[in-house]
Amino acid sequence: MDQVVPAELVAPELQEIASFDGEPITYFLYRPVADNPPVRDGGARGPEARFAPRYDPFIIRLVAEGIAVVAPNVRGSAGWGRRFVSLDDRRLRLDSVRDLTAVARIPCGARRRRVTGRGDRRVIRRLHDAGRPGLLPEPVGCGHRHGRHQQPAHILENTSPYRRRFREVEYGFLDTDRDFLIEASPMTHVDQIRAPLMLIHGANDPRVPVSEARQLHGSLVARGVESELLIYDDEGHGLAKRANRLDASPRMLAFLRKNLDV
């Protein structure tokens, strides 16, 4: 069923771009009929997840609204072998963010961009980078993220021992990489985030405490940066219940319309 795409829907185009170091990065581009569309940059869920085209009602709605969707598989994504999936391990972590910056430079005629995702800290780092002149060619209009940590060192310190050992291999080890974990933390650079941000979190998240979202939201609001926080009391890590997804999706779309001038 997921492979059936009606003729009136936009089929994604598989494209490739060279990143900062020449590493080829693939991405899927959903191109609307509208000229000079705003762009939603998104991608796979989770640190090693891979984006693959599927029947996604939210993507369909965005494209129907005249919003282009770019879904990259940056380094660290599974499906391209052991070398590629390990290219953002530990102190190479932010190279995956540089891949996103390379993808942001694709000539798709965007007037404003929105970054989004459910994958670790890339969204926040992109919003942070958006405040640094010369790094992103197009203005970042807004962002949203689902249940992701802002302080990797804090998460590793407070998670269960088995999960700490499992994630340290990729994020960095507390005993040898703490300085990098702190430097790479979005909260270290939160004062440089300027783009509006929507946060979505489950109150019962066993992996990332909801306090992470509350802390980031509070910091942004205190500095006058527009931020919306949606917390679902009956959810864990991500939105699993249909009623909650139906509630969150229109809110995300409204947030987009407002901040991308749709």
Side-chain angles (χ1 to χ4, degrees), residues 221-243:
V221 171
R223 291 195 301 107
V225 177
E226 180 183 351
S227 178
E228 294 186 26
L229 175 62
L230 301 181
I231 296 177
Y232 291 88
D233 293 335
D234 54 349
E235 290 286 6
H237 193 64
L239 300 186
K241 297 185 177 181
R242 182 171 181 268

Side-chain angles (χ1 to χ4, degrees), residues 89-222:
D89 286 354
R90 299 178 65 185
R91 292 179 181 264
L92 299 176
R93 197 73 179 145
L94 296 184
D95 285 353
S96 62
V97 182
R98 297 182 178 96
D99 291 342
L100 291 173
T101 300
V103 172
R105 298 180 187 278
I106 61 175
C108 57
R111 63 177 184 268
R112 286 174 72 81
R113 306 188 78 94
R114 169 258 209 163
V115 293
T116 179
R118 301 172 177 87
D120 63 20
R121 55 192 173 273
R122 291 170 182 155
V123 171
I124 296 299
R125 288 296 307 192
R126 279 289 307 283
L127 290 172
H128 157 234
D129 291 342
R132 293 161 59 187
L135 192 56
L136 292 181
E138 301 90 0
V140 173
C142 60
H144 88 248
R145 70 195 314 249
H146 296 240
R148 295 300 165 184
H149 55 76
Q150 277 56 260
Q151 301 181 85
H154 180 262
I155 292 296
L156 290 174
E157 288 171 341
N158 291 280
T159 192
S160 56
Y162 90 89
R163 185 170 176 78
R164 178 185 309 119
R165 199 61 178 173
F166 172 60
R167 283 303 176 202
E168 278 185 324
V169 173
E170 184 167 8
Y171 295 166
F173 292 89
L174 284 171
D175 55 350
T176 59
D177 300 309
R178 182 178 291 273
D179 60 330
F180 172 74
L181 290 169
I182 294 174
E183 170 58 25
S185 169
M187 289 305 298
T188 301
H189 307 277
V190 69
D191 61 336
Q192 297 183 49
I193 297 176
R194 302 172 187 170
L197 178 63
M198 171 179 279
L199 299 161
I200 303 171
H201 214 109
N204 304 311
D205 193 330
R207 300 182 187 179
V208 182
V210 69
S211 59
E212 294 271 302
R214 289 193 173 110
Q215 181 184 19
L216 178 58
H217 174 70
S219 177
L220 293 174
V221 171

